[in-house]
Every structure is written in structure tokens, then in C-alpha cells.
Amino acid sequence: MKIGEIARLTGLKVETVRFYEAEGLIGAPIRSGGNYRVYNGSHLDRLSFIKRSRDLGFTLDQVRDLLRLADDPRGSCAEVDAIAAVHIHEIDRKLADLAALRTEIVQWGATCDATTIADCRIIDALSNAG
């Protein structure tokens, strides 16, 4: 399949497929007589794995490590567990940050009894956030 088709099937942009190829995350596809990239099922599987991993928030380096580990099915999954644990810790940190942000914005709204923008507590808090 050509790059446009594999991009469509994986939900990636053509430029992203090229980027992953340049980064060595997928093997270089063969070239057709017209010099088009020709991808196969293994490219599709690998790109789908990358897309799903990225959608779940894994960094590019983590994806690279996960792919390396996935390439050795007899290897220990302890490294995969370690990568997942680091990612879970980062998710938990982000959730705590979002909860704190939500609390702050709710408090702004709860203390705002202004009727005009000039007296609005939320606008004032955002203006003085620096």
C-alpha cells in the first residue's frame, strides 16, 4: 500500500508516517518502479502500535523502548512494566495538577459576584497570574 493509504488506515498524517520512518521506528518500505514507498502489513501493525501508544501519552522515547522490547517476544516484560509505571506516575502528576487547576478556577467563580467585566474576579485573576 502507498503512504496515503497506510496513513488513512492508521489515522496518521502522511508527514507523521515519514517522520516515524526517519526516526527509525518503522523499517524503510520498499520502493515501487515509480519510486513510491510501498508499505506492507508489518508496517501497518507497527504504525498502529505507535499510534495507540502515542494516543495513550507515551513519549517518543518510551515508544521506541516499547518497540525494541516488543521485537523480542521472549524477553522479560519487567522493562515494559517499568516504562508503564513511569508513565502512570506522570499521568497521576498531571491529574493532580488538573485537579488543583479546577479547584482554583471554581474558587474564582465562587468569589465572583461582579456584574461587569471591570469587576470580574476571574478576569482579574487571569490578568494577575504572571
Side-chain angles (χ1 to χ4, degrees):
M1 64 196 98
K2 291 183 181 175
I3 196 166
E5 184 178 0
I6 202 160
R8 183 182 56 76
L9 290 172
T10 57
L12 296 168
K13 294 181 180 179
V14 168
E15 297 80 16
T16 305
V17 174
R18 287 189 188 118
F19 172 76
Y20 290 152
E21 182 184 339
E23 286 291 311
L25 297 176
I26 62 168
I30 61 172
R31 295 285 183 149
S32 70
N35 205 32
Y36 290 105
R37 290 173 171 92
V38 179
Y39 296 90
N40 59 33
S42 65
H43 290 109
L44 178 63
D45 292 344
R46 198 156 176 102
L47 285 168
S48 296
F49 181 98
I50 295 167
K51 170 88 165 68
R52 178 73 174 139
S53 299
R54 296 292 286 152
D55 286 349
L56 292 173
F58 286 95
T59 67
L60 202 54
D61 285 338
Q62 289 171 325
V63 172
R64 187 174 281 111
D65 288 340
L66 290 168
L67 286 168
R68 175 183 52 79
L69 294 164
D71 287 341
D72 181 12
R74 292 179 310 268
S76 167
C77 109
E79 282 186 74
V80 175
D81 292 343
I83 292 167
V86 168
H87 189 54
I88 290 167
H89 177 73
E90 184 63 18
I91 291 168
D92 289 343
R93 185 194 60 76
K94 288 178 183 178
L95 286 170
D97 288 349
L98 286 170
L101 176 62
R102 183 186 187 287
T103 298
E104 186 174 2
I105 293 173
V106 166
Q107 287 173 347
W108 291 346
T111 61
C112 184
D113 57 2
T115 56
T116 64
I117 295 294
D119 297 320
C120 179
R121 172 80 176 104
I122 296 171
I123 294 295
D124 183 55
L126 291 170
S127 297
N128 295 316

